[in-house]
Amino acid sequence: MSDPVQMSDARRYQQLRAHLSYLKLNDAVEALPRVLDQARAERMSLTTAMERLLEIEVDATEARKLVSRMRFACLPEPWTLNDFDFAAQPGVDEKLIRDLATLRFLDNASNVLFVGPPGVGKTMLAVALARAGVDSGHRVYFTTAAELAAKCHKAALEGRWATCMRFFAGPKLLVIDELGYLPLPGDGASALFQVINQRYLKSSTILTTNVGIAKAHMFRRTRARCRRMSTSSARKLVA
């Protein structure tokens, strides 16, 4: 005849699995037998066993979220700051870069501008900061200036301008790479600065460019035009 205590334990075990499944804690369901065996062997307290079980679920959830954030970010390479050779680029202020890597600039919605000729590591540093943001749980998006302009132009033609602007306003950190590397059409430059203007003082933007500060006046007319047209229709913007 079956032991009522064993029957009761078996029933509770199945109910526990059912409760975890109902709450969609699938990793905890999978780990439950192993954790119970460990609890029995190590004589864990109920609190310790529950903490270990839920830690497995939390770790698995965080791992899935990280994968999702990385997929959304569209980083061209999985670079981190450890991949950057500061010795090979003595002109780069390592102390400043490592301070930026703390991501304190995100708290103030400050922006970062990397200026320099091709091949000095501007994109790598921008990606490394973006990767740090992703790893810290922030929503990050990477694009080139040409890609951003093309997406905005297409969205305007398809009547999705407002949706496109909301998309680029959303990330906590937006990286715009290769500004000035390729010439932008007039509507592309206007779209670029409208994206930057709507993020100003709200979220951070990293720009990389080979255009010196002295040449920045080339964009001032476009920026002013963009501000005047901020309430105009998208179709007028691309006309």
Side-chain angles (χ1 to χ4, degrees), residues 159-180:
R160 298 182 293 103
W161 177 259
T163 300
C164 185
M165 289 297 103
R166 284 195 299 270
F167 175 83
F168 285 115
K172 182 75 172 178
L173 174 60
L174 176 66
V175 179
I176 304 176
D177 194 29
E178 298 180 343
L179 176 63

PDB file of all heavy atoms in Angstrom, residues 159-180:
ATOM      1  N   GLY A 159       4.515  58.064 -45.874  1.00  0.00           N
ATOM      2  CA  GLY A 159       3.588  58.619 -44.883  1.00  0.00           C
ATOM      3  C   GLY A 159       3.822  58.120 -43.469  1.00  0.00           C
ATOM      4  O   GLY A 159       2.904  58.137 -42.647  1.00  0.00           O
ATOM      5  N   ARG A 160       5.061  57.699 -43.163  1.00  0.00           N
ATOM      6  CA  ARG A 160       5.374  57.174 -41.831  1.00  0.00           C
ATOM      7  C   ARG A 160       6.384  58.060 -41.104  1.00  0.00           C
ATOM      8  O   ARG A 160       7.132  57.597 -40.257  1.00  0.00           O
ATOM      9  CB  ARG A 160       5.941  55.752 -41.948  1.00  0.00           C
ATOM     10  CG  ARG A 160       5.003  54.736 -42.538  1.00  0.00           C
ATOM     11  CD  ARG A 160       5.644  53.355 -42.562  1.00  0.00           C
ATOM     12  NE  ARG A 160       6.783  53.297 -43.481  1.00  0.00           N
ATOM     13  CZ  ARG A 160       8.059  53.320 -43.097  1.00  0.00           C
ATOM     14  NH1 ARG A 160       8.370  53.423 -41.803  1.00  0.00           N
ATOM     15  NH2 ARG A 160       9.036  53.250 -43.993  1.00  0.00           N
ATOM     16  N   TRP A 161       6.389  59.348 -41.440  1.00  0.00           N
ATOM     17  CA  TRP A 161       7.393  60.243 -40.869  1.00  0.00           C
ATOM     18  C   TRP A 161       7.314  60.298 -39.347  1.00  0.00           C
ATOM     19  O   TRP A 161       8.335  60.178 -38.658  1.00  0.00           O
ATOM     20  CB  TRP A 161       7.218  61.640 -41.453  1.00  0.00           C
ATOM     21  CG  TRP A 161       8.163  62.648 -40.879  1.00  0.00           C
ATOM     22  CD1 TRP A 161       7.904  63.580 -39.919  1.00  0.00           C
ATOM     23  CD2 TRP A 161       9.546  62.807 -41.228  1.00  0.00           C
ATOM     24  NE1 TRP A 161       9.025  64.307 -39.641  1.00  0.00           N
ATOM     25  CE2 TRP A 161      10.056  63.852 -40.435  1.00  0.00           C
ATOM     26  CE3 TRP A 161      10.388  62.157 -42.130  1.00  0.00           C
ATOM     27  CZ2 TRP A 161      11.370  64.288 -40.516  1.00  0.00           C
ATOM     28  CZ3 TRP A 161      11.708  62.572 -42.203  1.00  0.00           C
ATOM     29  CH2 TRP A 161      12.189  63.631 -41.410  1.00  0.00           C
ATOM     30  N   ALA A 162       6.122  60.469 -38.802  1.00  0.00           N
ATOM     31  CA  ALA A 162       5.976  60.574 -37.340  1.00  0.00           C
ATOM     32  C   ALA A 162       6.433  59.292 -36.652  1.00  0.00           C
ATOM     33  O   ALA A 162       7.090  59.326 -35.612  1.00  0.00           O
ATOM     34  CB  ALA A 162       4.528  60.887 -36.970  1.00  0.00           C
ATOM     35  N   THR A 163       6.089  58.152 -37.257  1.00  0.00           N
ATOM     36  CA  THR A 163       6.510  56.865 -36.691  1.00  0.00           C
ATOM     37  C   THR A 163       8.022  56.739 -36.708  1.00  0.00           C
ATOM     38  O   THR A 163       8.637  56.260 -35.744  1.00  0.00           O
ATOM     39  CB  THR A 163       5.889  55.705 -37.488  1.00  0.00           C
ATOM     40  OG1 THR A 163       4.464  55.804 -37.425  1.00  0.00           O
ATOM     41  CG2 THR A 163       6.318  54.363 -36.914  1.00  0.00           C
ATOM     42  N   CYS A 164       8.643  57.174 -37.786  1.00  0.00           N
ATOM     43  CA  CYS A 164      10.093  57.117 -37.913  1.00  0.00           C
ATOM     44  C   CYS A 164      10.770  58.005 -36.871  1.00  0.00           C
ATOM     45  O   CYS A 164      11.757  57.612 -36.232  1.00  0.00           O
ATOM     46  CB  CYS A 164      10.507  57.550 -39.315  1.00  0.00           C
ATOM     47  SG  CYS A 164      12.275  57.392 -39.675  1.00  0.00           S
ATOM     48  N   MET A 165      10.238  59.185 -36.663  1.00  0.00           N
ATOM     49  CA  MET A 165      10.797  60.091 -35.657  1.00  0.00           C
ATOM     50  C   MET A 165      10.664  59.505 -34.259  1.00  0.00           C
ATOM     51  O   MET A 165      11.573  59.628 -33.432  1.00  0.00           O
ATOM     52  CB  MET A 165      10.102  61.458 -35.732  1.00  0.00           C
ATOM     53  CG  MET A 165      10.462  62.276 -36.962  1.00  0.00           C
ATOM     54  SD  MET A 165      12.220  62.751 -37.064  1.00  0.00           S
ATOM     55  CE  MET A 165      12.796  61.577 -38.302  1.00  0.00           C
ATOM     56  N   ARG A 166       9.533  58.867 -33.972  1.00  0.00           N
ATOM     57  CA  ARG A 166       9.360  58.232 -32.655  1.00  0.00           C
ATOM     58  C   ARG A 166      10.358  57.106 -32.464  1.00  0.00           C
ATOM     59  O   ARG A 166      10.877  56.904 -31.363  1.00  0.00           O
ATOM     60  CB  ARG A 166       7.925  57.706 -32.498  1.00  0.00           C
ATOM     61  CG  ARG A 166       6.894  58.778 -32.223  1.00  0.00           C
ATOM     62  CD  ARG A 166       5.590  58.177 -31.710  1.00  0.00           C
ATOM     63  NE  ARG A 166       4.994  57.274 -32.687  1.00  0.00           N
ATOM     64  CZ  ARG A 166       4.137  57.670 -33.621  1.00  0.00           C
ATOM     65  NH1 ARG A 166       3.796  58.943 -33.713  1.00  0.00           N
ATOM     66  NH2 ARG A 166       3.623  56.800 -34.470  1.00  0.00           N
ATOM     67  N   PHE A 167      10.631  56.371 -33.548  1.00  0.00           N
ATOM     68  CA  PHE A 167      11.595  55.270 -33.453  1.00  0.00           C
ATOM     69  C   PHE A 167      12.973  55.796 -33.056  1.00  0.00           C
ATOM     70  O   PHE A 167      13.611  55.262 -32.136  1.00  0.00           O
ATOM     71  CB  PHE A 167      11.687  54.531 -34.786  1.00  0.00           C
ATOM     72  CG  PHE A 167      12.745  53.473 -34.813  1.00  0.00           C
ATOM     73  CD1 PHE A 167      12.492  52.209 -34.301  1.00  0.00           C
ATOM     74  CD2 PHE A 167      14.007  53.741 -35.337  1.00  0.00           C
ATOM     75  CE1 PHE A 167      13.474  51.228 -34.308  1.00  0.00           C
ATOM     76  CE2 PHE A 167      14.994  52.765 -35.351  1.00  0.00           C
ATOM     77  CZ  PHE A 167      14.727  51.508 -34.831  1.00  0.00           C
ATOM     78  N   PHE A 168      13.437  56.837 -33.720  1.00  0.00           N
ATOM     79  CA  PHE A 168      14.767  57.354 -33.430  1.00  0.00           C
ATOM     80  C   PHE A 168      14.807  58.141 -32.114  1.00  0.00           C
ATOM     81  O   PHE A 168      15.886  58.336 -31.551  1.00  0.00           O
ATOM     82  CB  PHE A 168      15.270  58.220 -34.589  1.00  0.00           C
ATOM     83  CG  PHE A 168      15.709  57.422 -35.780  1.00  0.00           C
ATOM     84  CD1 PHE A 168      15.036  57.504 -36.990  1.00  0.00           C
ATOM     85  CD2 PHE A 168      16.796  56.569 -35.689  1.00  0.00           C
ATOM     86  CE1 PHE A 168      15.435  56.760 -38.090  1.00  0.00           C
ATOM     87  CE2 PHE A 168      17.203  55.815 -36.788  1.00  0.00           C
ATOM     88  CZ  PHE A 168      16.520  55.903 -37.981  1.00  0.00           C
ATOM     89  N   ALA A 169      13.652  58.580 -31.645  1.00  0.00           N
ATOM     90  CA  ALA A 169      13.616  59.271 -30.351  1.00  0.00           C
ATOM     91  C   ALA A 169      13.633  58.278 -29.187  1.00  0.00           C
ATOM     92  O   ALA A 169      13.970  58.650 -28.061  1.00  0.00           O
ATOM     93  CB  ALA A 169      12.362  60.145 -30.260  1.00  0.00           C
ATOM     94  N   GLY A 170      13.299  57.014 -29.464  1.00  0.00           N
ATOM     95  CA  GLY A 170      13.101  56.046 -28.400  1.00  0.00           C
ATOM     96  C   GLY A 170      14.335  55.578 -27.650  1.00  0.00           C
ATOM     97  O   GLY A 170      14.334  55.536 -26.414  1.00  0.00           O
ATOM     98  N   PRO A 171      15.426  55.202 -28.327  1.00  0.00           N
ATOM     99  CA  PRO A 171      16.575  54.625 -27.621  1.00  0.00           C
ATOM    100  C   PRO A 171      17.183  55.587 -26.595  1.00  0.00           C
ATOM    101  O   PRO A 171      17.247  56.797 -26.817  1.00  0.00           O
ATOM    102  CB  PRO A 171      17.570  54.337 -28.749  1.00  0.00           C
ATOM    103  CG  PRO A 171      16.739  54.208 -29.975  1.00  0.00           C
ATOM    104  CD  PRO A 171      15.627  55.187 -29.791  1.00  0.00           C
ATOM    105  N   LYS A 172      17.641  55.030 -25.501  1.00  0.00           N
ATOM    106  CA  LYS A 172      18.351  55.819 -24.495  1.00  0.00           C
ATOM    107  C   LYS A 172      19.637  56.360 -25.069  1.00  0.00           C
ATOM    108  O   LYS A 172      20.076  57.462 -24.745  1.00  0.00           O
ATOM    109  CB  LYS A 172      18.660  54.932 -23.276  1.00  0.00           C
ATOM    110  CG  LYS A 172      19.349  55.647 -22.126  1.00  0.00           C
ATOM    111  CD  LYS A 172      18.395  56.522 -21.364  1.00  0.00           C
ATOM    112  CE  LYS A 172      19.047  57.077 -20.115  1.00  0.00           C
ATOM    113  NZ  LYS A 172      18.130  57.987 -19.362  1.00  0.00           N
ATOM    114  N   LEU A 173      20.255  55.570 -25.965  1.00  0.00           N
ATOM    115  CA  LEU A 173      21.481  55.990 -26.639  1.00  0.00           C
ATOM    116  C   LEU A 173      21.372  55.674 -28.121  1.00  0.00           C
ATOM    117  O   LEU A 173      21.119  54.535 -28.504  1.00  0.00           O
ATOM    118  CB  LEU A 173      22.695  55.263 -26.043  1.00  0.00           C
ATOM    119  CG  LEU A 173      24.040  55.501 -26.739  1.00  0.00           C
ATOM    120  CD1 LEU A 173      24.408  56.980 -26.710  1.00  0.00           C
ATOM    121  CD2 LEU A 173      25.135  54.663 -26.091  1.00  0.00           C
ATOM    122  N   LEU A 174      21.558  56.690 -28.947  1.00  0.00           N
ATOM    123  CA  LEU A 174      21.569  56.539 -30.403  1.00  0.00           C
ATOM    124  C   LEU A 174      22.972  56.838 -30.910  1.00  0.00           C
ATOM    125  O   LEU A 174      23.538  57.891 -30.593  1.00  0.00           O
ATOM    126  CB  LEU A 174      20.572  57.495 -31.048  1.00  0.00           C
ATOM    127  CG  LEU A 174      20.542  57.525 -32.582  1.00  0.00           C
ATOM    128  CD1 LEU A 174      20.056  56.190 -33.141  1.00  0.00           C
ATOM    129  CD2 LEU A 174      19.664  58.677 -33.087  1.00  0.00           C
ATOM    130  N   VAL A 175      23.537  55.919 -31.669  1.00  0.00           N
ATOM    131  CA  VAL A 175      24.859  56.119 -32.268  1.00  0.00           C
ATOM    132  C   VAL A 175      24.670  56.377 -33.757  1.00  0.00           C
ATOM    133  O   VAL A 175      24.077  55.567 -34.465  1.00  0.00           O
ATOM    134  CB  VAL A 175      25.767  54.897 -32.066  1.00  0.00           C
ATOM    135  CG1 VAL A 175      27.131  55.137 -32.721  1.00  0.00           C
ATOM    136  CG2 VAL A 175      25.947  54.601 -30.582  1.00  0.00           C
ATOM    137  N   ILE A 176      25.180  57.515 -34.219  1.00  0.00           N
ATOM    138  CA  ILE A 176      25.133  57.866 -35.644  1.00  0.00           C
ATOM    139  C   ILE A 176      26.570  57.917 -36.137  1.00  0.00           C
ATOM    140  O   ILE A 176      27.340  58.820 -35.784  1.00  0.00           O
ATOM    141  CB  ILE A 176      24.423  59.211 -35.874  1.00  0.00           C
ATOM    142  CG1 ILE A 176      23.013  59.188 -35.261  1.00  0.00           C
ATOM    143  CG2 ILE A 176      24.344  59.520 -37.367  1.00  0.00           C
ATOM    144  CD1 ILE A 176      22.287  60.523 -35.358  1.00  0.00           C
ATOM    145  N   ASP A 177      26.925  56.958 -36.952  1.00  0.00           N
ATOM    146  CA  ASP A 177      28.308  56.784 -37.397  1.00  0.00           C
ATOM    147  C   ASP A 177      28.519  57.406 -38.778  1.00  0.00           C
ATOM    148  O   ASP A 177      27.588  57.522 -39.567  1.00  0.00           O
ATOM    149  CB  ASP A 177      28.616  55.282 -37.443  1.00  0.00           C
ATOM    150  CG  ASP A 177      30.098  54.974 -37.566  1.00  0.00           C
ATOM    151  OD1 ASP A 177      30.908  55.789 -37.087  1.00  0.00           O
ATOM    152  OD2 ASP A 177      30.437  53.924 -38.133  1.00  0.00           O
ATOM    153  N   GLU A 178      29.757  57.813 -39.031  1.00  0.00           N
ATOM    154  CA  GLU A 178      30.196  58.255 -40.369  1.00  0.00           C
ATOM    155  C   GLU A 178      29.475  59.504 -40.872  1.00  0.00           C
ATOM    156  O   GLU A 178      29.176  59.621 -42.067  1.00  0.00           O
ATOM    157  CB  GLU A 178      30.046  57.117 -41.389  1.00  0.00           C
ATOM    158  CG  GLU A 178      30.895  55.900 -41.058  1.00  0.00           C
ATOM    159  CD  GLU A 178      30.734  54.791 -42.082  1.00  0.00           C
ATOM    160  OE1 GLU A 178      29.740  54.828 -42.848  1.00  0.00           O
ATOM    161  OE2 GLU A 178      31.582  53.893 -42.125  1.00  0.00           O
ATOM    162  N   LEU A 179      29.208  60.444 -39.984  1.00  0.00           N
ATOM    163  CA  LEU A 179      28.661  61.721 -40.429  1.00  0.00           C
ATOM    164  C   LEU A 179      29.719  62.450 -41.248  1.00  0.00           C
ATOM    165  O   LEU A 179      30.835  62.664 -40.785  1.00  0.00           O
ATOM    166  CB  LEU A 179      28.248  62.571 -39.225  1.00  0.00           C
ATOM    167  CG  LEU A 179      27.749  63.987 -39.534  1.00  0.00           C
ATOM    168  CD1 LEU A 179      26.480  63.923 -40.379  1.00  0.00           C
ATOM    169  CD2 LEU A 179      27.499  64.768 -38.259  1.00  0.00           C
ATOM    170  N   GLY A 180      29.390  62.804 -42.483  1.00  0.00           N
ATOM    171  CA  GLY A 180      30.327  63.495 -43.354  1.00  0.00           C
ATOM    172  C   GLY A 180      31.151  62.573 -44.218  1.00  0.00           C
ATOM    173  O   GLY A 180      31.851  63.036 -45.122  1.00  0.00           O
TER     174      GLY A 180
END
